[in-house]
Amino acid sequence: MPVDPKATLETLLRHLGFEATVDESRSDEGVHLDVKTDDPGRLIGRQGETLADLQYITNRLLFQQDPAAPKVTLDVGGYRAQAREALIKKAREAAEKVRRWGDVVELEPMNAYDRRIVHNALRDDPVVETHSVEVDGTDKKAILLRPRRPAA
């Protein structure tokens, strides 16, 4: 029986005491679930941490049912979409500093989901390269942007 990401999330939210509706859309990148609730702040959490944890748990539940289950991305009231656009803007501004001054620019520590957004946003930049680096005392990593080295 195929997994049902929407039903899985709805059940999880119900068990957690949330009244919410879930809209599902599919793309090449997987399944996108958008949660609508009267209390979005509690589901988003501080800097999106609760939302990231909820996404992780949802994906683990689906993967346990079917190891070939598609990757699920969660959003609550458009929070992730707005945060993604702000992150891309910040990455492009940092890349511009690297281009202009030739210096290394370090972005603040962030989770894997956010780092992937930054790396993808700057992947095709001919002048700037990105690297994730460990940050002591946290499970997050920072991203260093620096001038791209010429191919040897």
Side-chain angles (χ1 to χ4, degrees), residues 13-53:
L13 290 171
R14 196 169 43 257
H15 284 302
L16 291 171
F18 285 95
E19 284 188 34
T21 58
V22 178
D23 293 330
E24 178 179 353
S25 59
R26 293 179 180 258
S27 71
D28 294 341
E29 295 157 12
V31 178
H32 181 82
L33 299 176
D34 192 30
V35 180
K36 302 207 178 1
T37 178
D38 290 337
D39 192 7
R42 279 185 50 221
L43 274 181
I44 294 167
R46 200 171 72 97
Q47 295 182 322
E49 289 178 4
T50 304
L51 179 57
D53 292 342

Side-chain angles (χ1 to χ4, degrees), residues 5 9 25 50 60 79 86 122 124 126 138 140 144 150:
L9 178 60
S25 59
T50 304
R60 293 294 305 145
Y79 170 83
L122 300 175
D124 297 326
T138 176
K140 295 180 178 182
L144 294 181

Side-chain angles (χ1 to χ4, degrees), residues 86-98:
L87 199 52
I88 289 171
K89 182 175 187 249
K90 182 184 283 189
R92 289 186 175 142
E93 288 169 354
E96 185 55 38
K97 287 180 186 172
V98 172

